[in-house]
Each structure stands twice: as structure tokens, then as C-alpha cells.
Amino acid sequence: MSGILRFISLLSLGAILFATPPALAKGLEVDLSKPDVRLDVSFEGADLLLFGATDHEGDIIVVVRGPAKDTSIRLKERVAGIWVSTDEVIFEGAPSFYALASSKPIDDLLAMEVLLQQKIGTKNLGLVAKSAPDDATEDTLKNFKDGLVRNMVAKNLYTGEPGQIDLVGKQLFRTDLWFPANVHVGEYVIDTYLITNGRIATHNSTQLSVHKVGLEAEIYNFAHEHALLYGLLAILIAVVSGWTANAVFKKRG
Amino acid sequence: MQIYLPIAEVSVNIFLILGMGGGIGFLSGLFGVGGGFLMTPLLIFIGIPPAVAVGTEANQIVASSISGVLAHFKRGNVDIRMGVMLLIGGVIGSTFGVWLFTFLKTLGQIDLVIKLSYVIFLGVIGSLMFIESLNSMRASKKAGPPKRKGHNILHGLPFKMRFRRSKLYISAVLPLAVGVVVGILSAIMGVGGGFVMVPAMIYLLGMPTAVVVGTSLFQIIFVTANVTVLQAVNNYAVDVVLALLLLIGGVIGAQFGARAGAKLKGEQLRVLLAMMVLGVCIKIALDLTLTPDDLYALGTTGGH
């Protein structure tokens, strides 16, 4: 509900922006229907509405990036009839989540070098290998990069097909962002680009926190901060339930 | 109804997990094995990270073994002395096993090792059990007790000990060695090791079958408890929410399983168990040999 209210307030904001003289200021306002993504017991993934207003006409690209992580990708090869992991490439700081939405196909909007520079699109992530087999060529690395993207798309952590951005009138836009149930926790960055005449006119960067709350957070933190105690408690739970089960057994004969 | 697991970091259907616990619990009550060798691959199959599947399953086996061993204690079917010897070996083996697990994880070969261990052990034990139980089914028609095995090289080992309940006078090295092997498997495969331990005790140590299951369960409690703590500390891989759901299903399933088991003959049970073990073995062997969908797979560096 608050999302709708905000949307309405943004409509008026858009109106104000529109009313002001088309000054040099390249305004681009972006907001989300929820301030954060909360991973609780019933979390099945989250839908977020991103909406915004600009002070002049143009196309919009939205990129969501999860926390960067060194990511390992391994090649499987058949050794003596069995598929074995062999070569490994570790890419430095690959985004753990990458979602893209645009009002037109990105290749139509921006030149290749700009896409590469801004890392827009899963083909243009600019992944750098931190470690790789000694004989790895550019082609080998490219295969590993493609493999990484394919795997992440299969896990719904990268978008395969870019999402759609709806332009509402000339200055308002909106798009749906989907965070699947297997998202990693951390600080996400949402970059919104306003494109005019094949150039990035304005760029807005918003933070989004993805975090565990309630019982989920307590169990997770406890397991990591007091690992030994957690392990012992897990055993205690097992002992008590095993004992209870046996007691119930006996009564039933 | 979905539930988000705090450690596994995936969303699963509560009823699916309860049902899996119930189904495996039924089999475990029927055959007197922990069922870990079936549950761990199933958990991995539904998308639980392998490390979490192994750590959590160890935790669940603690509970089901305690429930089982209490019943055996009442009937005097636990050879504590033998259990303690197996246990000493088991703790050494499982500690080394968790270390090995962590090491193989960094090498990126943990999945391969888990799967190969499954294929080898399930294959060997399944086949042996299948042949043995078919033979005894044939033999039981002619009646007559199984003949007692003669002395072999294993009886020449030093450090002999008397195991009263098992009616044995054998070297302490034997149960220690069996314990070490089962402990390693337990840590790597996320199993109690009952399916290795039980045949080893019957065929290798020559223990009476009645005492075998109780004693095996007795020592499995401690080995899996050790694995649980070590997995929790080294790999943060124990999900108590998942373990609890599996437990609830497992406890109920085991009751029905034990009742169904009372209606079947020993040899019939063993043939069925052997067929199931071989089935799982073939499934995993196919996974290893069939061409995967994607030759590139994510490693473990990016994990938590």
C-alpha cells in the first residue's frame, strides 16, 4: 500500500519537476516499493517495484548488482568414463546477483564501449580471472565466463532475458524486480541510467539491503558466532527428540 | 507451504521434507538401518547444498539412533564393550573424515568423492547382501543353522579381548579398524554407516545378528554426534530447522516401518534392502557417467 502512496507522491513530484523550467539539472529520481528485502521463515523470493521520474524524455536502463564475490567455476571432463572436475578459474569479485531491465534492447541504446565500461549486460560484466590454468587462452577464459553466466542464470541469480521497463507518459517509469529465494544476503546496488541520444544523460545509484530477519537471522548468526555451542545444541535437540520418540513408541506398545 | 532454511539458504516445501523423513523413516524402521545413505542423496537432489545435506543428516541420525538403541538396550542387545572399541575407532575416523572433507572441498573434488564413495560402498555391500540373502533363502528351505566360521588369519592378531555379549574372543584391532573406516565414511558421506557396519560386524567380526543392530546403533550415536559438532564448527553446515523437520517425519515413519518389518522374514528383508541399496548405487553411477547438461559448474569459493 505504501508503495502505491509513494507512487502517487512521485506522480506529483514528477509534475513539479515538469513544471519547473527545463533547466540544466538532469534530475532522475528513483524509489522502491520496499526499503529492503527481508529473509524470514516464510521467504519465497521477493517482488519489488522500482519506479522513478526524470525531468526529460529518454530511455531507462536499470541494473541490480548483489555483493561481489570471488567465484570459482570448474570444467568437467571425462576421465576413465567418469565426469571429473578438472580446470578451475576463479573470477575476482563477480556479482552474486545481477538483474537487468531496460525500456529498449541495451544494444540499441548504448555503444559497446559504454556498456563494457558501465558493466551493463551479462556479456559485459568485465570479469577478471584471479586464478586460471597456466595454458588458459582468451577463448578458454571466455568459455569459463559464459559458463559462469549460464550457471547463475540457471540459479535465477542473473537475468537471462532483460526485464521490461514501462514508460508511463514521458517522464515516469516503472519496472518489477524479482529476488529469488536463493539470493545471498548483503548490500545490493541499483543503478538507474537515463539514456538520451545514445549517451548516458544521468545516472542514479540506490542501495538495497538484503538481510535475514527474526528467527532466520538469530539461527544463522548463532551458528556462525558460536559454532561449537550451536553444534552441541543441535545434538541436544536430537537426543531429546530421539528419547521422546522412544517414549511414545513404548506407550503405543 | 514453503519454509526458508536459515543455514541451507533455500526455500523448501515443509510437506515434502516431512514426507521424505517419513518415507526414509519407514525404510529405516523396516530394515534397521539409519537411512542416511538414502536421505543425503535425496536432500542434494532437492537442492540442499551437499555440505549442508551431509552435516544435517548426521544430526538427524543422532536422534533416530538414540530412539532405536533405547529399545535394544531393554532387550539386552547392546555389547557396550564392543561398542566402545568401535567408537574409539569411529571418533578417530570421523575426525579425520571431517578434516578430509574440508580439504577435498577446497580442491573442488568433494562432490566426486561423495559420489564415488556411494557407488563403491553401495555397490559392494548391495551385491554381497543380495547374494548372501538369496543363498540363505535357498538354504532355509533345507533348514539347519548356518555353520560357524572357522579360524582365519584375522584371529591371529594381537591384543585379544573377550566380548561377552557377542560371545567372542578376538583382537581389539578388528573393531577399532572397522570403527575408523565407518567413521571416515560417516563424515564424508553424511551417513551413520549402519549399512557398512552391520555387514562388517556379522561377516568380519562374526557377531551374533541379534546383538549387531543394537551395538551398531550405540556407536553410531557418538560418531554422528562427533560429525555434527565438527561439521558445525568447520563448515557451518548443520541446519537445525531442516534436521527437526526430517526428525518429525522420520520418527512417525519408523513406527510404521517397524510394524511392517515384523511381518516379513529376515532373508526377505535383506533381499529388499539389497535391491534398494543397488538401486541408489546405479542412480549415482549414472550421474557420474552420463554427460552433464553443462560442462561448467560453479565451485565452492563463492559460497558462504
Side-chain angles (χ1 to χ4, degrees):
Chain A
M1 282 308 272
S2 66
I4 294 168
L5 286 176
R6 282 201 199 181
F7 194 59
I8 292 168
S9 69
L10 253 146
L11 277 172
S12 51
L13 177 71
I16 293 164
L17 284 170
F18 190 59
T20 52
L24 295 166
K26 288 170 180 169
L28 174 62
E29 294 293 332
V30 177
D31 203 359
L32 296 162
S33 55
K34 282 178 215 150
D36 57 0
V37 175
R38 290 155 177 262
L39 277 57
D40 58 13
V41 179
S42 61
F43 183 69
E44 289 179 57
D47 244 330
L48 248 68
L49 174 69
L50 178 144
F51 51 90
T54 64
D55 64 354
H56 58 288
E57 228 177 305
D59 280 294
I60 300 290
I61 297 177
V62 174
V63 176
V64 186
R65 285 188 189 86
K69 274 184 183 160
D70 291 352
T71 305
S72 135
I73 188 99
R74 287 176 179 277
L75 174 63
K76 281 189 184 150
E77 281 175 295
R78 207 190 268 271
V79 177
I82 293 171
W83 289 95
V84 180
S85 296
T86 51
D87 291 347
E88 179 186 32
V89 173
I90 298 176
F91 290 106
E92 193 169 0
S96 55
F97 180 88
Y98 190 96
L100 174 76
S102 60
S103 53
K104 275 185 199 147
I106 51 168
D107 295 330
D108 299 348
L109 292 178
L110 289 170
M112 196 42 132
E113 50 266 34
V114 184
L115 292 176
L116 274 170
Q117 190 208 339
Q118 298 292 327
K119 300 183 179 172
I120 300 173
T122 48
K123 280 182 212 143
N124 314 315
L125 292 176
L127 294 172
V128 177
K130 189 179 167 191
S131 88
D134 295 335
D135 57 349
T137 63
E138 273 306 305
D139 282 349
T140 330
L141 285 180
K142 190 182 176 303
N143 286 337
F144 274 89
K145 279 179 204 171
D146 293 347
L148 186 148
V149 172
R150 259 199 321 276
N151 272 278
M152 295 302 269
V153 169
K155 292 175 90 174
N156 292 321
L157 291 174
Y158 283 14
T159 42
E161 286 294 307
Q164 186 62 40
I165 292 181
D166 301 320
L167 298 173
V168 186
K170 283 176 181 172
Q171 267 103 14
L172 295 173
F173 59 90
R174 53 175 288 168
T175 186
D176 289 313
L177 301 175
W178 168 248
F179 296 86
N182 55 343
V183 283
H184 291 278
V185 294
E187 290 300 318
Y188 284 52
V189 177
I190 303 176
D191 288 303
T192 308
Y193 302 90
L194 172 65
I195 317 289
T196 47
N197 305 321
R199 282 227 200 100
I200 296 174
T202 314
H203 165 219
N204 173 306
S205 202
T206 313
Q207 295 262 334
L208 172 72
S209 167
V210 175
H211 56 114
K212 292 182 179 163
V213 293
L215 193 62
E216 303 296 298
E218 278 163 36
I219 294 177
Y220 181 87
N221 292 337
F222 189 73
H224 280 78
E225 285 159 22
H226 308 278
L228 180 63
L229 195 57
Y230 176 84
L232 293 174
L233 276 176
I235 291 172
L236 185 70
I237 293 172
V239 171
V240 170
S241 19
W243 207 285
T244 314
N246 186 63
V248 174
F249 239 119
K250 257 192 266 173
K251 267 186 203 157
R252 290 234 186 153
Chain B
M1 202 165 96
Q2 298 289 119
I3 185 166
Y4 183 78
L5 301 171
I7 305 294
E9 303 191 312
V10 288
S11 172
V12 292
N13 188 307
I14 291 185
F15 301 110
L16 176 69
I17 300 291
L18 286 175
M20 275 167 54
I24 304 286
F26 180 84
L27 297 173
S28 133
L30 189 61
F31 298 121
V33 293
F37 72 97
L38 292 169
M39 185 59 96
T40 310
L42 259 181
L43 287 175
I44 295 172
F45 181 74
I46 64 159
I48 309 290
V52 179
V54 169
T56 304
E57 186 50 21
N59 190 23
Q60 193 223 326
I61 295 168
V62 174
S64 56
S65 308
I66 284 181
S67 166
V69 88
L70 289 173
H72 284 279
F73 250 125
K74 269 184 78 184
R75 288 179 228 141
N77 282 344
V78 183
D79 185 334
I80 304 258
R81 200 161 190 200
M82 178 68 86
V84 168
M85 293 317 285
L86 288 166
L87 180 58
I88 295 171
V91 169
I92 297 170
S94 60
T95 305
F96 174 69
V98 170
W99 176 84
L100 193 67
F101 185 98
T102 312
F103 173 71
L104 289 167
K105 210 170 116 179
T106 60
L107 281 187
Q109 301 298 351
I110 188 64
D111 284 355
L112 178 71
V113 173
I114 290 178
K115 284 180 181 162
L116 275 182
S117 319
Y118 269 102
V119 171
I120 294 166
F121 280 93
L122 296 181
V124 169
I125 286 156
S127 321
L128 284 179
M129 218 155 59
F130 189 70
I131 295 164
E132 186 273 335
S133 46
L134 276 189
N135 282 342
S136 66
M137 268 168 115
R138 246 181 263 141
S140 71
K141 281 177 190 159
K142 296 175 200 156
K147 54 185 172 186
R148 198 145 183 113
K149 287 215 183 84
H151 277 245
N152 59 26
I153 190 158
L154 296 176
H155 292 86
L157 291 168
F159 310 114
K160 290 223 172 192
M161 264 178 103
R162 190 166 294 287
F163 298 97
R164 201 147 292 149
R165 279 227 197 272
S166 307
K167 301 187 183 85
L168 284 175
Y169 181 61
I170 53 166
S171 162
V173 175
L174 278 176
L176 272 179
V178 171
V180 169
V181 172
V182 173
I184 294 176
L185 293 180
S186 170
I188 292 183
M189 298 164 71
V191 296
F195 72 99
V196 180
M197 182 72 89
V198 170
M201 287 161 100
I202 297 176
Y203 300 116
L204 214 62
L205 303 183
M207 283 171 68
T209 313
V211 188
V212 162
V213 175
T215 310
S216 150
L217 285 174
F218 169 78
Q219 77 89 38
I220 282 173
I221 295 170
F222 297 94
V223 172
T224 48
N226 188 35
V227 171
T228 306
V229 171
L230 291 173
Q231 288 283 12
V233 172
N234 290 345
N235 297 319
Y236 308 112
V238 179
D239 196 311
V240 283
V241 178
L242 179 59
L244 209 56
L245 287 175
L246 290 173
L247 266 177
I248 297 168
V251 162
I252 298 167
Q255 289 207 29
F256 288 103
R259 276 174 209 182
K263 289 178 190 150
L264 287 170
K265 275 191 199 159
E267 299 88 28
Q268 291 173 326
L269 276 178
R270 290 212 295 276
V271 166
L272 285 177
L273 178 60
M275 278 160 52
M276 210 168 61
V277 167
L278 287 175
V280 176
C281 169
I282 291 167
K283 160 82 178 70
I284 299 171
L286 285 177
D287 286 350
L288 279 175
T289 46
L290 292 181
T291 309
D293 291 338
D294 195 333
L295 293 184
Y296 293 85
L298 292 170
T300 42
T301 317
H304 55 94

